[in-house]
Amino acid sequence: MNLMSSSTPTKMATEALEAPALCLAQLRLNSDLMREAGQRLRALAPPFAATLARGSSDQAASFAKFLLETRVGLPTVSHAPSIGSLYQATSDRFRNVPLIAISQSGRSPDLLAAAQEASARGALVIAVVNDAASPLADLAQIVIPVHAGAETSVAATKSFVCTLFALAHLAAEWSGDAELLNALTTAGPLLEQAAKADWSAAVPLLVKAQEMLVLGRGPTLTIAGEAALKLKETCNLHAEAFSSAEVAHGPMTLVGAGDPVLAFAPLDVARTGLRDRLEDFAARGARVIAAGASEDIAPAELVLPFAAETHPIIGAIAQIQSFYGLANALSLARGCNPDNPPHLNKVTSTL
């Protein structure tokens, strides 16, 4: 049974299912501006890049960092919004440095203040936004619309997937990565398959959980971070994301018999050591749930359906696409409302 199917589907479920078609439309709509942005950024030849974001968008920013450092070869730092919005301490070294500001709404006051100050210091502000008519887009030198359309569920799904897709497109054009460009062009069927993947077997292992670890590395570290955030938001489940390498430096000692561990296995060299790590968790009696290549995740108690024969970047995006179905089903099973988590708003007004 498709996790997203229901006689009365949630907004979260409905909107997540829209993402694959929206990504392909985005690729077409953004083709010229991405090519021009790539040319402009190559000519700029900056010493480093920076990201600016919060919440799910900050998880996407970590994806941008991974892409720029591995594809473009450009060191990328996270510029905390408060440096500009509270401290007014943005460095003059941001002159001619791309600042990738990521926001669904483009209206959060702290992001706007930080982007304005960075622009005043000479930064090249690149707005990656769902609303191309937003204040953030207005102050940017380059605007990259993610074309996700209206998203009414508080928990972001399609806008997040579309943002990852747009960042991958930008990195491919910036670096001249023909292989990644081709993978994006042919990603439609894989993302559709991922949207329909049934991860419901994980619900019984998580429905009574109070806390858990979520693992990723390389291209899937972002996926683990977003999944952990959604588990908190929509399922009232304390989930923490770690690199599958970093988790051995302390957090692993917290996991014992019966504790769930969800692993998003990368499809590139970052898979190194993952099987040994999962074996360690299984030996402790942890209930390991994993998606990835079968040889890497064999120690898992539950292997989630996933098409592992794909480009590592597309594979990572496909994993979060599938996860949203699980998050939706688990939220409902735990008596929560995934469309309207308590104490959260669609636009967060942080100063």
Side-chain angles (χ1 to χ4, degrees), residues 99-133:
L99 177 70
I100 303 174
I102 304 172
S103 174
Q104 297 165 45
S105 69
R107 287 175 164 77
S108 296
D110 57 343
L111 293 184
L112 290 172
Q116 287 170 339
E117 177 160 290
S119 181
R121 296 288 193 275
L124 175 70
V125 178
I126 302 172
V128 181
V129 290
N130 195 26
D131 185 354

Side-chain angles (χ1 to χ4, degrees), residues 190 193 265 267 271 291-296 305-312 315 319:
L190 179 73
Q193 181 181 348
L267 300 179
R271 71 202 327 166
S294 57
E295 62 269 25
D296 297 326
F306 173 66
E309 298 300 321
T310 187
H311 191 286
Q319 285 178 335

Side-chain angles (χ1 to χ4, degrees), residues 19-210:
L22 291 168
C23 285
L24 293 188
Q26 175 203 112
L27 192 72
R28 182 184 70 255
L29 292 168
N30 286 356
S31 178
D32 290 342
L33 76 87
M34 288 292 199
R35 189 176 305 109
E36 292 168 3
Q39 293 170 350
R40 181 174 179 179
L41 290 164
R42 284 196 301 275
L44 184 65
F48 67 96
T51 62
L52 175 67
R54 286 203 189 278
S56 284
S57 294
D58 200 33
Q59 300 300 334
S62 73
F63 199 64
K65 173 181 173 66
F66 172 79
L67 289 166
L68 296 187
E69 293 190 342
T70 60
R71 261 60 192 183
V72 182
L74 190 65
T76 304
V77 302
S78 175
H79 183 53
S82 61
I83 297 300
S85 66
L86 293 181
Y87 296 101
Q88 290 83 51
T90 303
S91 172
D92 288 334
R93 295 183 184 181
F94 269 83
R95 179 167 299 280
N96 295 324
V97 166
L99 177 70
I100 303 174
I102 304 172
S103 174
Q104 297 165 45
S105 69
R107 287 175 164 77
S108 296
D110 57 343
L111 293 184
L112 290 172
Q116 287 170 339
E117 177 160 290
S119 181
R121 296 288 193 275
L124 175 70
V125 178
I126 302 172
V128 181
V129 290
N130 195 26
D131 185 354
S134 63
L136 181 61
D138 287 344
L139 68 84
Q141 287 79 51
I142 296 175
V143 179
I144 298 176
V146 303
H147 296 293
E151 189 172 54
T152 56
S153 175
V154 171
T157 55
K158 64 177 181 176
S159 63
F160 185 79
V161 173
C162 288
T163 298
L164 297 193
F165 205 81
L167 291 169
H169 192 184
L170 177 63
E173 288 287 3
W174 192 341
S175 63
D177 188 336
E179 181 183 6
L180 179 53
L181 277 172
N182 181 66
L184 292 165
T185 302
T186 58
L190 179 73
L191 294 181
E192 290 286 357
Q193 181 181 348
K196 297 173 183 176
D198 184 0
W199 285 17
S200 60
V203 172
L205 302 184
L206 300 175
V207 69
K208 298 296 184 183
Q210 297 301 309

Side-chain angles (χ1 to χ4, degrees), residues 281-327:
F281 279 116
R284 294 166 179 260
R287 309 200 75 176
V288 179
I289 305 162
S294 57
E295 62 269 25
D296 297 326
I297 61 173
E301 176 181 343
L302 176 62
V303 173
L304 300 167
F306 173 66
E309 298 300 321
T310 187
H311 191 286
I313 300 302
I314 304 303
I317 298 173
Q319 285 178 335
I320 198 60
Q321 177 72 69
S322 294
F323 169 80
Y324 285 141
L326 170 57

